[in-house]
Amino acid sequence: MQRETKRSMILISAANGLLLFGYGLSLPFFTIYLITQRNLTPSLAGLVIALAGLSRCVSSAISGELADAFGRKNVMMWGLFSQIVAMFALGLCIELKVNVGWMLVWYFLTTFLGAFFRPASNAWVTDNTTAKDRVEAFGIIRIGLNIGWALGPAMGGFLVRYSYSMAFYFTAILYAVTILYLGRLVQDNHIPCKSRKPSFVSTLLALKDTRLAKMCLYVLLITAVNSQLVVGLSVHCKQYLHMPEYYIGWLFTVNGLVVVFLQYWGTVLMSKIRLSTAMLLGCLAYAVGFGSVGFFNSFLLIAFGVFLAGVGELLVSPGEQTLVSNIASRETRGRYLGMLMVFYNLGSAVGFFIAGLLGDYVAPHYLPGPWLIVGAVAVLAGIGFWRMRYSLTDSEDGKTNVPVPIKKDTITLN
């Protein structure tokens, strides 16, 4: 990767890191807040988080279309500004202890608006890299994200012991800092596609590309597995093992630090093998890591399981983004990456909801049960990704350094 390209990736990686640091301060603890402060059951709290996740599916599709039509940076900036307002309002609702219904309205708005950034950001990365450099580029982005994820929950776990609302106020402040940073340092060289206007029907029709449709299905499965870190692990450690919130925050930090310190080596490995093979290995690491959690009752052993799941993440996340980028045409990068985020957020929503159900109805009878189910889903996703190799060219699957040919968009553009 050229020096100027790497510098650009570091800039956008830092922006992603600031955002996830802010997210980690507050939102991972919202499930615990609903259960301990508002007396919701784990299954009901999981349903709330799941419904909010579904709203992110819609906004991800919207973001991808708008990024193609109006530019990547514009969508990132306006999405962040709107989220700041919603985040501050949510903190105020928690501080004033308003009716749960009103508080959830602002929570849904926060999650809906929060999904605008990533599809536009990923499209920006694709615009500024070649197929050869994309695994490394998305790996750099993951490092920034996980520095934020490593620091945010660790600080948030201590902060929410004193004030849940203050955690959300600090999140809003960090998002404001990110807007100022993006406005000054990040340039958008994307030329909006004038041949079409945003069409959300066409966004759904992108799934006529069977390769994209299969990738999205497997992304849904493995994201449902990954989402257990936020809801499933929180419920397991708090409700059944009676760990304090700051212990749970440190588990999130372990997950983040794995990617920060090992992402480079993961990228080196991925550059030597097919992306589909790397995805299989990552899913198997998820399966072993999360599948073992239910058998442990100490912080250190659970942290080891989280460590293995983190190894899975550092292979899966840049791999799925690179694969989708490689099969998209220049005119549909935002659309394809937006659709990827639709299924990513749908997988999160499904995972959050299932985590609540497993915590309520399976764990009381057999504590390792939920985690064995999660591990089995990870294996299924891995097999699916591995079988994708038969429908990908060598360059699309990362086997050679031959640039991916530019393909005409096969979807009718409106």
Side-chain angles (χ1 to χ4, degrees):
M1 184 183 295
Q2 296 180 353
R3 179 178 298 180
E4 187 62 30
T5 301
K6 182 170 288 190
R7 178 180 177 276
S8 298
M9 294 307 107
I10 291 173
L11 287 175
I12 203 70
S13 176
N16 276 278
L18 281 171
L19 292 177
L20 205 59
F21 176 66
Y23 174 93
L25 281 176
S26 54
L27 288 170
F29 302 98
F30 191 66
T31 305
I32 298 173
Y33 171 79
L34 291 176
I35 294 172
T36 61
Q37 305 295 317
R38 293 304 180 107
N39 299 317
L40 271 66
T41 64
S43 57
L44 185 55
L47 177 61
V48 168
I49 306 299
L51 292 175
L54 290 176
S55 73
R56 296 173 66 90
C57 299
V58 178
S59 55
S60 293
I62 294 173
S63 173
E65 280 292 294
L66 294 180
D68 280 340
F70 301 112
R72 321 309 194 189
K73 185 175 178 179
N74 288 334
V75 175
M76 288 189 278
M77 297 286 281
W78 282 105
L80 280 176
F81 179 79
S82 302
Q83 194 182 13
I84 289 169
V85 176
M87 189 69 69
F88 183 83
L90 178 57
L92 193 61
C93 287
I94 292 174
E95 181 176 357
L96 298 178
K97 298 182 180 179
V98 301
N99 181 275
V100 173
W102 282 109
M103 181 185 64
L104 293 181
V105 166
W106 284 108
Y107 173 68
F108 286 136
L109 282 174
T110 297
T111 54
F112 177 83
L113 296 167
F116 272 78
F117 186 85
R118 287 286 295 282
S121 171
N122 289 342
W124 185 93
V125 171
T126 304
D127 288 342
N128 288 275
T129 55
T130 65
K132 175 184 175 182
D133 295 330
R134 279 179 195 142
V135 169
E136 182 180 356
F138 283 117
I140 292 172
I141 302 302
R142 291 305 303 174
I143 291 174
L145 285 167
N146 282 277
I147 289 175
W149 183 241
L151 297 176
M155 295 183 64
F158 286 98
L159 189 58
V160 298
R161 296 173 67 189
Y162 304 100
S163 173
Y164 277 95
S165 61
M166 189 62 66
F168 285 90
Y169 293 150
F170 273 111
T171 298
I173 292 171
L174 280 169
Y175 287 1
V177 170
T178 306
I179 283 185
L180 296 176
Y181 169 83
L182 284 172
R184 294 194 60 178
L185 297 179
V186 175
Q187 303 298 319
D188 188 0
N189 298 320
H190 172 71
I191 301 175
C193 183
K194 297 181 180 180
S195 63
R196 67 176 173 90
K197 296 179 180 179
S199 172
F200 304 112
V201 173
S202 295
T203 298
L204 294 176
L205 291 177
L207 292 175
K208 285 184 176 180
D209 184 336
T210 56
R211 299 189 302 172
L212 176 64
K214 288 179 180 179
M215 285 185 194
C216 287
L217 172 61
Y218 306 141
V219 165
L220 184 152
L221 292 176
I222 198 59
T223 307
V225 170
N226 183 53
S227 66
Q228 302 308 306
L229 182 71
V230 176
V231 175
L233 194 66
S234 296
V235 171
H236 179 78
C237 293
K238 184 68 178 178
Q239 182 130 334
Y240 294 104
L241 302 183
H242 308 292
M243 288 185 180
E245 285 86 350
Y246 62 89
Y247 268 32
I248 298 171
W250 277 111
L251 289 173
F252 297 155
T253 298
V254 168
N255 173 260
L257 289 176
V258 171
V259 180
V260 172
F261 290 107
L262 298 183
Q263 184 64 69
Y264 170 78
W265 301 108
T267 301
V268 170
L269 171 64
M270 295 176 75
S271 68
K272 296 179 179 179
I273 61 177
R274 286 181 175 269
L275 290 173
S276 54
T277 301
M279 298 295 283
L280 172 63
L281 295 175
C283 290
L284 292 178
Y286 267 123
V288 176
F290 279 144
S292 63
V293 163
F295 296 97
F296 303 144
N297 57 13
S298 73
F299 173 83
L300 288 178
L301 289 175
I302 291 175
F304 178 71
V306 171
F307 169 85
L308 292 177
V311 172
E313 180 185 344
L314 66 86
L315 295 175
V316 168
S317 184
E320 65 192 17
Q321 292 166 339
T322 302
L323 282 172
V324 172
S325 297
N326 287 351
I327 67 171
S329 67
R330 185 188 69 83
E331 293 83 4
T332 59
R333 285 171 181 166
R335 175 179 292 175
Y336 272 44
L337 288 164
M339 186 55 65
L340 171 67
M341 292 306 298
V342 168
F343 280 83
Y344 178 90
N345 289 309
L346 181 60
S348 293
V350 170
F352 293 154
F353 179 59
I354 290 177
L357 292 179
L358 293 175
D360 268 350
Y361 300 110
V362 178
H365 304 286
Y366 183 54
L367 195 58
W371 301 101
L372 292 176
I373 293 171
V374 168
V377 173
V379 172
L380 289 176
I383 294 172
F385 281 120
W386 185 79
R387 289 182 60 81
M388 285 295 302
R389 66 176 54 210
Y390 301 115
S391 60
L392 298 169
T393 67
D394 285 344
S395 56
E396 287 170 339
D397 202 16
K399 184 179 180 182
T400 71
N401 292 330
V402 178
V404 177
I406 297 177
K407 302 174 286 298
K408 293 182 179 180
D409 191 1
T410 58
I411 307 302
T412 301
L413 302 178
N414 297 323

